[in-house]
């Protein structure tokens, strides 16, 4: 296990693409400390911002301190584990294909942007565009799991094609905008226009929601597949799922301005 | 003479065969409907001599043991190969589970993709393009719209090379005594995981031999154990025997079948039973030879 303690004082972002366990494995502490990061418009060695202790051979990184200005932690990683005790900056786990990231704090925008596999669990809040497509890209998240225990910003899961995003509290506007497929759970209240332009996929809402007129009411029922998801979320330690294990869900199909084969499932509480 | 409760157990073996096996977990809104679906799905599945598969209910499942938190049943189905098994399972799930109120169907074995059979992926077309696919932790589930909501069926089901045709014969002094022993044996066998007894109530009265005096028949009545033919053929029946029942067992592996035979034979050895033996073909057909004395020997007592 390699422990990295953040000692940076700067307010200028640090782009630390090298912070991924699969590529650090096999490197000595000195080699890792010498790896380049981008500090604003200038390159700098990783060791200038972090003190290092231990070895990364087991592909387990522990990052301590407020890294809210450190971008790209775990971006592109394919395996291993990162535990962040503190906040994480933008693009956490972006484009990752495997492995696990746990943040015991908050994360900034673009958590898991265009990720393809693995799991990110942010215990606190996340910023905008969780699992979304980068500007100009047609497809966002293509696999994997993003769990946000707190609330999230706008455009959660924008243009996602596969995978699961769960937000324990409220989300900002446009959750699941342009979804191609996949699942977005917002256990609190989503902002305006959830699922706008979605083709397929599932948006699950636990709180209050106002749907666009282009979503049509289908029925009230107990979808047995949801139980599988809720149990899995619980197994991952996502406590928000617990209170939704029972109850009836109201299904709406949409968005009829797009393909219209998506769905919004809205929890109605316990009903007989 | 090796005996249990003074019932002699013959020094012979059951001859079993390798068959491809699948485990289905069928859930429903109530345990009753899960049982209905299980019974339907495993109906007409006694022997591959005349059925597309051999099947049975492995056991009931509590909500804690099913993927969707509802009561369910675990089913085991066996066929000669994966292709035949897939065809049988798709037909049976399509006709007996999909149609049954509130049910869902899940995989119950580890999935190795090249050895899996596709069930939900074949049944999804019933959804007429309105079906939904959900993928979670490598498992794909198909949600097919039906008139009471949705039928959820897992895409791929794992298979294993199972062992089919484990058996033992209970030779009784009377039909009633033999049947009571057979019922006791089946009750014991049903406590063993990984095994089903695919015949009616787990009991066979029409034990068969290979071939027939009729050229077209592959199997015919086991005349050596038919009490009404004692005077006509070379009978294997001991004196005073008037009825024989066979317990046939299919399991996910040899150890499961042996465990079931062990507890079944022990339960069958009761008053009115004259002998316990097993069916085989001289060891020439099946690769698994399950010797009764070896299975029942004290150092094999680790019942599962």
């Amino acid at each position: 296990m390699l422990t990295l303690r953040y000692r940076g004082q700067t307010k200028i972002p640090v782009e630390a693409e090298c912070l991924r366990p699969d590529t650090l494995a096999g490197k000595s502490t000195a080699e890792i400390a010498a790896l380049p990061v981008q500090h604003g418009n200038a390159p700098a060695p990783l060791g200038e911002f972090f003190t290092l202790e231990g070895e990364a051979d087991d592909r387990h990184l522990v990052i301590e301190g407020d890294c809210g200005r450190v971008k790209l932690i775990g971006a592109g990683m394919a395996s291993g584990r990162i535990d962040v005790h503190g906040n994480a900056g933008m693009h956490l786990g972006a484009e990752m294909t495997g492995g696990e990231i746990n943040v015991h704090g908050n994360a900034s925008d673009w958590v898991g942007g265009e990720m393809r596999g693995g799991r990110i669990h942010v215990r606190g809040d996340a910023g905008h565009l969780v699992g979304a497509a980068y500007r100009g890209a047609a497809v966002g998240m293509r696999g994997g799991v993003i769990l946000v225990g707190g609330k999230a910003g706008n455009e959660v899961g924008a243009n996602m094609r596969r995978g699961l995003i769960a937000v324990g509290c409220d989300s900002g506007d446009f959750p699941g905008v342009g979804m191609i497929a996949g699942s977005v759970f917002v256990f609190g209240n989503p902002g305006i226009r959830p699922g706008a332009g979605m083709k397929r996929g599932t948006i699950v809402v636990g709180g209050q929601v106002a749907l666009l007129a282009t979503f049509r009411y289908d029925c009230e029922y107990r979808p047995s597949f949801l139980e599988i998801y809720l149990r899995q979320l619980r197994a991952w330690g996502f406590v928000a799922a617990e209170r939704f294990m029972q109850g009836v869900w109201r299904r709406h199909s949409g968005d009829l301005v797009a393909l219209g084969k998506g769905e919004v499932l809205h929890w109605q509480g316990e009903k007989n | 003479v090796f005996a249990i409760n003074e019932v002699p157990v013959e020094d012979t073996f059951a001859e079993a065969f390798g068959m491809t096996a699948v485990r289905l977990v069928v859930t429903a809104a109530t345990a009753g409907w899960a049982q209905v679906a299980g019974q339907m799905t495993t109906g007409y599945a006694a022997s591959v001599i005349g059925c597309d598969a051999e099947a049975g209910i492995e056991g009931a499942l509590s909500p804690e043991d099913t993927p969707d938190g509802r009561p369910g049943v675990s089913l085991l189905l066996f066929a000669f190969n994966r292709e035949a098994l897939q065809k049988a399972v798709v037909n049976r799930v399509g006709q007996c589970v999909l149609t049954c109120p509130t049910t869902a169907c899940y995989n119950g074995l580890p999935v190795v993709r090249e050895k899996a059979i596709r069930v939900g992926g074949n049944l999804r077309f019933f959804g007429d393009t309105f079906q939904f696919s959900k993928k979670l932790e490598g498992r794909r589930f198909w949600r097919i719209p039906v008139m009471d909501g949705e039928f959820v069926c897992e895409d791929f089901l794992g298979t294993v090379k199972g062992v089919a045709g484990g058996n033992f014969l209970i030779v009784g002094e009377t039909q009633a005594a033999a049947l009571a022993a057979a019922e006791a044996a089946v009750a014991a066998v049903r406590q063993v995981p990984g095994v089903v007894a695919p015949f009616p109530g787990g009991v066979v009265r029409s034990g068969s031999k290979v071939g027939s005096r009729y050229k077209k028949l592959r199997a015919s009545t086991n005349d050596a154990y038919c009490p009404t033919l004692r005077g006509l053929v070379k009978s294997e029946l001991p004196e005073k025997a008037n009825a024989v029942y066979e317990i046939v067992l299919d399991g996910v592996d040899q150890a499961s079948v042996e465990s079931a035979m062990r507890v079944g034979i022990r339960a069958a050895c009761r008053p009115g039973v004259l002998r316990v033996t097993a069916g085989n073909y001289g060891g020439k057909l099946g690769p698994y030879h399950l010797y009764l004395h070896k299975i029942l020997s004290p150092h094999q007592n680790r019942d599962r």
Side-chain angles (χ1 to χ4, degrees):
Chain A
M1 183 175 79
L2 176 66
T3 303
L4 301 102
R5 292 189 184 87
Y6 186 64
R7 61 180 179 182
Q9 300 293 322
T10 179
K11 291 186 176 177
I12 298 170
V14 177
E15 295 180 11
E17 284 179 83
C18 59
L19 285 180
R20 46 186 285 187
D22 47 350
T23 54
L24 293 187
K27 289 185 170 62
S28 68
T29 309
E31 286 175 318
I32 293 170
L35 288 171
V37 297
Q38 189 74 16
H39 182 215
N41 61 2
L46 181 71
E48 190 176 315
F49 299 96
F50 290 92
T51 57
L52 281 67
E53 186 181 319
E55 293 177 343
D57 290 350
D58 62 353
R59 298 175 185 233
H60 184 188
L61 307 184
V62 175
I63 300 173
E64 296 176 353
D66 184 0
C67 296
R69 309 297 289 179
V70 181
K71 297 180 179 179
L72 295 161
I73 293 171
M77 65 187 271
S79 63
R81 175 176 172 167
I82 300 176
D83 293 320
V84 181
H85 296 280
N87 299 326
M90 293 169 70
H91 309 288
L92 174 81
E95 298 179 332
M96 67 187 278
T97 59
E100 184 182 346
I101 301 176
N102 293 291
V103 178
H104 300 273
N106 301 323
S108 189
D109 301 340
W110 298 104
V111 171
E114 295 188 15
M115 76 183 285
R116 290 166 191 181
R119 187 165 77 241
I120 302 172
H121 193 164
V122 178
R123 262 68 178 185
D125 300 335
H128 302 302
L129 295 148
V130 174
Y134 283 112
R135 300 307 189 202
V139 180
M141 185 175 175
R142 273 168 256 189
V145 176
I146 303 175
L147 310 174
V148 179
K151 58 184 190 293
N154 297 334
E155 296 188 43
V156 173
N159 295 87
M160 73 184 288
R161 185 173 197 165
R162 194 173 292 129
L164 167 63
I165 301 174
V167 179
C169 299
D170 299 346
S171 80
D173 298 339
F174 290 101
V177 60
M179 272 179 84
I180 301 163
S183 304
V184 173
F185 287 63
V186 179
F187 289 108
N189 303 320
I192 61 170
R193 298 178 181 175
M198 71 189 294
K199 294 176 179 173
R200 288 189 169 88
T202 302
I203 298 176
V204 177
V205 177
Q208 298 301 311
V209 62
L211 290 175
L212 289 164
T214 47
F215 281 79
R216 294 274 169 79
Y217 172 71
D218 298 315
C219 68
E220 280 187 359
Y221 74 136
R222 296 171 187 263
S224 48
F225 89 94
L226 258 190
E227 185 78 17
I228 302 171
Y229 273 71
L230 294 170
R231 283 179 159 222
Q232 183 62 63
L233 286 168
R234 185 174 63 182
W236 283 325
F238 195 79
V239 293
E242 191 71 41
R243 63 183 280 248
F244 299 96
M245 302 288 277
Q246 301 293 327
V248 174
W249 299 78
R250 183 176 281 243
R251 186 183 196 270
H252 286 79
S253 291
D255 185 349
L256 297 175
V257 297
L259 189 62
K261 289 192 172 178
E263 64 179 348
V264 175
L265 297 169
H266 183 205
W267 191 61
Q268 301 297 301
E270 294 281 354
K271 285 187 180 181
N272 290 321
Chain B
V1 176
F2 186 93
I4 297 174
N5 297 334
E6 299 179 359
V7 176
V9 178
E10 274 193 10
D11 187 10
T12 185
F13 61 93
E15 194 169 345
F17 304 83
M19 286 180 83
T20 308
V22 65
R23 177 184 279 135
L24 271 59
V25 173
V26 174
T27 66
T30 64
W33 279 113
Q35 194 70 24
V36 167
Q39 285 170 348
M40 283 287 287
T41 308
T42 57
Y44 183 44
S47 167
V48 285
I49 292 174
C51 308
D52 59 352
E54 297 183 7
I57 297 176
E58 185 185 14
L61 298 172
S62 67
E64 295 75 35
D65 296 327
T66 64
D68 60 16
R70 303 189 301 166
V73 288
S74 172
L75 314 178
L76 293 176
L77 291 91
F78 299 79
F80 279 128
N81 52 53
R82 274 199 303 281
E83 291 72 27
L85 187 64
Q86 174 167 301
K87 190 176 177 186
V89 173
V90 168
N91 284 337
R92 285 167 179 271
V93 173
Q95 292 300 308
C96 308
V97 187
L98 166 66
T99 57
C100 184
T102 75
T103 57
C105 180
Y106 305 103
N107 170 49
L109 288 172
V111 175
V112 178
R113 192 57 174 264
E114 57 270 22
K115 291 184 177 176
I117 59 172
R118 195 163 201 200
V119 179
N122 281 308
L123 293 173
R124 68 183 153 135
F125 297 106
F126 184 73
D128 196 22
T129 77
F130 296 107
Q131 65 271 25
F132 245 78
S133 157
K134 303 308 289 183
K135 195 171 182 184
L136 183 65
E137 287 291 273
R139 298 170 72 178
R140 186 185 294 281
F141 304 93
W142 286 101
R143 298 165 52 200
I144 300 168
V146 287
M147 294 195 298
D148 74 348
E150 286 175 342
F151 171 58
V152 176
C153 188
E154 196 154 351
D155 195 4
F156 283 94
L157 308 184
T159 68
V160 293
K161 204 68 183 170
V163 174
N167 67 78
F168 55 93
L169 283 79
I170 302 163
V171 181
E173 192 168 356
T174 64
Q175 187 188 75
L179 187 56
E183 289 170 355
V186 171
V189 161
R190 286 191 173 142
Q191 306 305 312
V192 179
V195 178
V196 293
F199 282 86
V203 185
V204 188
R205 76 167 182 182
S206 60
S208 60
K209 67 177 183 291
V210 175
S212 164
R213 297 180 187 208
Y214 298 105
K215 286 181 182 175
K216 289 185 178 176
L217 278 184
R218 287 187 293 166
S220 61
T221 192
N222 195 356
D223 49 51
Y225 285 94
C226 291
T228 56
L229 302 179
R230 190 198 301 264
L232 296 177
V233 299
K234 186 174 181 299
S235 180
E236 295 288 341
L237 294 174
E239 196 179 349
K240 296 184 180 176
N242 287 297
V244 180
Y245 287 113
E246 182 176 0
I247 309 295
V248 176
L249 301 163
D250 295 349
V252 294
D253 54 28
Q254 184 174 342
S256 303
V257 175
E258 288 181 344
S259 290
M261 287 176 65
R262 185 178 309 126
V263 299
I265 291 171
R266 282 185 185 148
C269 289
R270 47 190 285 162
V273 175
L274 300 175
R275 181 188 295 175
V276 171
T277 183
N280 61 62
Y281 311 98
K284 293 174 182 172
L285 291 180
Y288 300 97
H289 300 164
L290 312 175
Y291 286 88
L292 301 188
H293 285 191
K294 186 181 172 191
I295 288 170
L296 294 164
S297 66
H299 67 275
Q300 295 283 333
N301 277 359
R302 295 187 299 272
D303 289 339
R304 300 181 341 146

